[in-house]
Amino acid sequence: MATTHVPTANGTVMNGATSLVKSLEAAHVDVMFGLPGGAILPAYDPIFDSTIRHILVRHEQGAGHAATGYAQVTGRAGVCIATSGPGATNLVTPLMDAGMDSVPLVAITGQVPSAAIGTDAFQEADIRGITMPFTKHNFLVTKADDIPRAIAEAFHIATSGRPGPVLVDIAKDALQTQTTFNWPAKIELAGYNPKIVPDNQSISDAAALIAQSKKPVFYVGGGVIKANAHKELAQLVELLGAPVVTTLMARGAFPDSHPLHLGMPGMHGTVAAVTALQKADLLITLGARFDDRVTGKLSTFAVNAKVIHADIDPAEINKNKFADVPVIGDLRETITALIPALKSALAKNSQDLAPWNASMQKLKSTYPLGYTLPDDGSLSPQAVIERIGKISGTETIFTAGVGQHQMWASQFISYEHPRTWLNSGGAGTMGYGVPAAMGAKVGAPDSTVWAIDGDGCFQMTNQELVTCALNNIPIKVAIINNESLGMVRQWQTLFYEGRYSNTSLESKRVPNFPMLAEAMGCVGLSCERPEDLDATIEKAMSINDQPVVVDFRVHRDAMVWPMVAAGTSNDEIMIARATAPDWDSQEL
Amino acid sequence: MSIHTLEVLVENEPGVLARVSGLFARRAYNIDTLVVGPTSNPEVSKMVIQVNLEGHSLEQVIAQLDKLISVISIEELVEGAKKPVKDTQPDYQN
Ligand SMILES: Cc1ncc(C[n+]2csc(CCOP(=O)(O)OP(=O)(O)O)c2C)c(N)n1
Ligand SMILES: [Mg+2]
């Protein structure tokens, strides 16, 4: 059960549309991203007078990802709003994306009048049915009286427990009917009561197991950021002194600069992080979900490790990997409880972790992330991303598209703080970068926000730069222009004998990105020579009253390494083409 | 073949059958039979579902069902007796 603040409008007669806007205000919404149309039009009339800032996007997909970017930097629910039919279906990708990455999102859609539902009416789409598989929950509201409760429940469900997207589909006649506004004083859902405080027994079992282990590793997932548990995590790590890996969704949950941090595990993880999981005798899993991109071939993943799995979602336990000690609860509560429990367990019994730490540190220093500069003197994509990270500093918020540039942005930028790295991890949604950066900048207007985007991704959602230009949202976009769908091309190089079927974008010829940027009201820059790199980034950093787009024209053949090929074992990690680490020289 | 019978109380809302059957379909759980009926509370319906596990764990099927907001409680029917597997504060995970 959750209690809410009852607004003064309670008991006032108004139409459903006004009731919707009053409900959003009561839910403390300060900004929403959307685009109107017939079925949602009644709501746009009271939106005109509301204190809520409505940002008019150019495509509803942009509204959804912007709401996600906003949610990821603020920790609050992001809100997007669209009309029925195609407006609603344009939200499908961001809703699925938010579901995969546990983002608190509330999507409001207009629906055709209730009497027309089921008649294939103009712009009718069963958006509740369409979004059932990947929303945390969804509603179809056909009566004005039901609007406040649905909105209150939607925010409660989206932001509590394991966060996720919730859709509220509202029939047009419900928006137009008179109703007495009635914001619920409390929310009680018989079938929803997430467990927040972990059981004492599970905490002491976890502590005992940690104290016994000789090769423990902290396997940290995005849940640590969602639970705002990074400070507690740092204390726990200091207490035990064991190595840490942070997944793609957890970059920033633990400082990259910390000596115990081995980097990112998984398909493009560091040798040390991947090997730490493989060779550990204990995985201390915190808000991670044993995704196939992390585990590689599951049957060969961490075969000698016991598993502690702490998560707020009971359905993650034993889903992919058996948990010897499951701990269900909010991660901040869990880690806070684990610290004293581990202290007393260690006082009774502790292992010497020095040999394990030494071998992991040796791997880390032997196989650091790196790249070779192109022979022809052209611009290296990794160098571009690394320099942007260095020059803009660790307070900067980064978003990425999906592809090689995303992996390099995860690898070659140093993340020191949570909520500074936003990307589409579970869904791998090309086109996430620009609109997510827009939402991030709205949520954190005083931070520098860089979208590290691919030339392919950029061409999916760049129209939101118009939204940015017109609404004073001065984001910076780095297009890592390798004139190709680079990640797919990399797979064609490695697994399809270099047969480059439909991966060449020719985006060094068309479009002209700087001109396109200028046409959208942004500053357009380009950079082709390594000697101009720093000056170009500094130029982009100096423009703060307009969005900036930089076309970094980079070498096309760079590849992302290390790599564990899909479906193979993490033991098969390659540090370059046909090059495995020299395992014989390592003592593990 | 491993068949289990679950008695699931759900919110009586339009679409709840789609939520449950859709979950089974997308996670490739086999439903042998599914019966829906009323309860004494008009806001609550009862589903009796026979699930053929075929490689899935019962624990995972129940956990995924429980994740649906519209699912209120789940009990396994074992030879005529009821074995609660879910209440509002689940503790089966330990
Ligand atoms: C919407 C969508 N379509 C297709 C894909 C498959 N895909 C993954 S990465 C990639 C290439 C992305 O190209 P680009 O944005 O130029 O990034 P690069 O890999 O070149 O850095 C593609 C097509 C995807 N992830 N998302
Ligand atoms: Mg590209």
Side-chain angles (χ1 to χ4, degrees):
Chain A
M1 192 192 83
T3 50
T4 66
H5 173 75
V6 177
T8 49
N10 253 19
T12 313
V13 176
M14 57 185 73
N15 66 13
T18 308
S19 158
L20 168 63
V21 174
K22 291 279 167 242
S23 298
L24 295 170
E25 289 169 357
H28 306 293
V29 175
D30 59 358
V31 61
M32 54 189 175
F33 302 88
L35 193 149
I40 196 69
L41 197 49
Y44 271 79
D45 195 60
I47 284 174
F48 207 34
D49 297 327
S50 172
T51 54
I52 300 174
R53 179 181 182 197
H54 179 281
I55 295 174
L56 175 61
V57 296
R58 293 298 178 271
H59 189 301
E60 292 87 351
Q61 184 185 355
H65 293 315
T68 289
Y70 174 91
Q72 295 285 61
V73 299
T74 61
R76 306 175 52 205
V79 181
C80 53
I81 178 163
T83 195
S84 65
T89 57
N90 277 347
L91 289 178
V92 166
T93 298
L95 284 168
M96 177 276 231
D97 182 276
M100 293 293 265
D101 286 346
S102 308
V103 179
L105 206 69
V106 174
I108 316 279
T109 48
Q111 181 54 279
V112 300
S114 52
I117 292 177
T119 67
D120 305 318
F122 178 64
Q123 294 195 328
E124 179 182 2
D126 174 16
I127 196 63
R128 188 187 48 154
I130 292 168
T131 59
M132 243 176 220
F134 42 76
T135 49
K136 186 170 171 185
H137 193 56
N138 57 17
F139 298 83
L140 170 60
V141 180
T142 54
K143 292 194 193 71
D145 294 349
D146 295 343
I147 291 172
R149 176 162 295 279
I151 297 295
E153 291 181 358
F155 278 87
H156 174 60
I157 292 168
T159 54
S160 60
R162 179 179 183 168
V166 179
L167 174 123
V168 185
D169 194 28
I170 310 176
K172 187 172 185 178
D173 54 319
L175 294 173
Q176 291 168 318
T177 308
Q178 291 298 110
T179 176
T180 304
F181 183 67
N182 185 14
W183 181 254
K186 59 180 191 197
I187 299 163
E188 258 175 301
L189 293 160
Y192 180 67
N193 192 4
K195 186 171 158 79
I196 305 299
V197 181
D199 295 342
N200 288 334
Q201 186 64 50
S202 64
I203 294 291
S204 49
D205 289 354
L209 194 54
I210 296 171
Q212 282 163 26
S213 72
K214 293 190 169 68
K215 300 178 176 180
V217 53
F218 290 98
Y219 164 26
V220 174
V224 168
I225 295 175
K226 300 280 168 5
N228 295 314
H230 58 283
K231 291 203 183 90
E232 291 76 9
L233 172 67
Q235 289 168 23
L236 183 65
V237 172
E238 294 297 346
L239 174 62
L240 183 64
V244 180
V245 304
T246 52
T247 68
L248 184 62
M249 290 310 295
R251 309 285 295 117
F254 188 75
D256 273 346
S257 59
H258 196 288
L260 287 169
H261 197 170
L262 302 179
M264 178 174 77
M267 180 175 273
H268 294 296
T270 65
V271 173
V274 170
T275 310
L277 293 180
Q278 286 302 88
K279 302 292 177 192
D281 67 357
L282 176 66
L283 305 185
I284 307 167
T285 312
L286 304 171
R289 61 184 178 92
F290 298 92
D291 180 75
D292 53 88
R293 285 304 193 251
V294 167
T295 64
K297 192 177 171 194
L298 193 56
S299 60
T300 65
F301 173 71
V303 285
N304 298 318
K306 290 226 154 94
V307 172
I308 295 169
H309 193 173
D311 205 288
I312 198 159
D313 180 0
E316 286 303 337
I317 306 302
N318 298 340
K319 185 182 78 177
N320 292 341
K321 177 89 178 155
F322 175 75
D324 299 272
V325 179
V327 187
I328 311 287
D330 173 82
L331 271 168
R332 195 159 159 192
E333 300 275 349
T334 295
I335 300 175
T336 302
L338 200 49
I339 290 168
L342 182 60
K343 264 185 202 152
S344 49
L346 288 173
K348 283 184 220 137
N349 166 25
S350 79
Q351 306 296 325
D352 179 13
L353 303 185
W356 168 241
N357 271 320
S359 59
M360 289 304 111
Q361 289 302 326
K362 184 170 174 217
L363 271 183
K364 183 177 167 180
S365 55
T366 312
Y367 299 105
L369 288 167
Y371 53 90
T372 48
L373 293 172
D375 295 335
D376 59 2
S378 60
L379 204 51
S380 145
Q382 297 99 323
V384 170
I385 292 168
E386 190 167 42
R387 290 307 298 157
I388 293 173
K390 286 266 159 43
I391 291 172
S392 61
T394 57
E395 304 300 316
T396 303
I397 295 166
F398 293 92
T399 74
V402 170
Q404 293 181 310
H405 64 280
Q406 172 195 27
M407 292 299 116
W408 291 322
S410 172
Q411 293 175 331
F412 295 110
I413 294 172
S414 187
Y415 298 97
E416 297 295 312
H417 311 291
R419 305 190 185 279
T420 58
W421 164 244
L422 279 53
N423 84 136
S424 170
T429 307
M430 283 178 72
Y432 172 92
V434 168
M438 171 169 80
K441 182 75 181 169
V442 170
D446 298 332
S447 301
T448 301
V449 178
W450 269 104
I452 308 290
D453 216 1
D455 51 320
C457 291
F458 182 79
Q459 292 185 69
M460 290 202 175
T461 50
N462 64 71
Q463 70 274 30
E464 294 319 328
L465 283 167
V466 174
T467 313
C468 290
L470 291 174
N471 290 280
N472 187 26
I473 308 169
I475 62 168
K476 304 181 196 303
V477 182
I479 303 172
I480 308 302
N481 183 356
N482 55 6
E483 56 189 332
S484 59
L485 299 168
M487 185 57 95
V488 182
R489 190 172 192 275
Q490 173 166 347
W491 286 42
Q492 290 172 329
T493 303
L494 296 173
F495 311 121
Y496 292 88
E497 293 138 19
R499 288 164 50 81
Y500 297 121
S501 171
N502 291 283
T503 46
S504 173
L505 292 172
E506 301 187 54
S507 22
K508 286 183 186 166
R509 293 203 297 128
V510 178
N512 181 324
F513 286 122
M515 276 174 70
L516 178 59
E518 298 277 348
M520 290 189 286
C522 308
V523 175
L525 304 173
S526 81
C527 177
E528 198 149 22
R529 302 183 313 166
E531 54 269 40
D532 300 332
L533 177 57
D534 282 16
T536 311
I537 297 168
E538 273 149 19
K539 172 102 210 287
M541 289 300 293
S542 72
I543 301 165
N544 291 310
D545 54 352
Q546 249 183 306
V548 189
V549 177
V550 191
D551 180 17
F552 289 103
R553 301 161 75 87
V554 300
H555 194 267
R556 177 157 89 164
D557 295 327
M559 286 203 261
V560 183
W561 298 107
M563 180 170 186
V564 178
T568 69
S569 167
N570 279 348
D571 295 331
E572 321 273 306
I573 188 170
M574 294 293 182
I575 51 172
R577 197 164 185 186
T579 314
D582 176 13
W583 296 119
D584 293 341
S585 71
Q586 302 291 330
E587 287 166 38
L588 295 166
Chain B
M1 217 166 53
S2 163
I3 296 178
H4 294 259
T5 307
L6 301 176
E7 187 182 289
V8 184
L9 294 184
V10 297
E11 304 267 2
N12 179 15
E13 45 119 2
V16 68
L17 181 58
R19 290 188 200 281
V20 171
S21 59
L23 167 70
F24 276 73
R26 71 176 173 268
R27 299 215 178 250
Y29 306 151
N30 277 329
I31 299 181
D32 273 9
T33 64
L34 188 154
V35 183
V36 195
T39 66
S40 55
N41 181 347
E43 290 180 4
V44 176
S45 305
K46 181 162 85 179
M47 293 186 181
V48 177
I49 307 169
Q50 276 196 322
V51 51
N52 187 344
L53 287 177
E54 286 184 349
H56 297 282
S57 84
L58 182 64
E59 177 206 33
Q60 184 58 206
V61 173
I62 289 167
Q64 293 293 350
L65 259 179
D66 188 16
K67 234 172 124 163
L68 297 178
I69 310 288
S70 308
V71 168
I72 299 165
S73 69
I74 308 167
E75 293 183 307
E76 189 186 356
L77 298 180
V78 187
E79 288 163 25
K82 288 185 184 180
K83 187 175 118 194
V85 291
K86 185 236 164 178
D87 53 39
T88 43
Q89 282 287 327
D91 56 4
Y92 57 86
Q93 60 269 7
N94 279 321

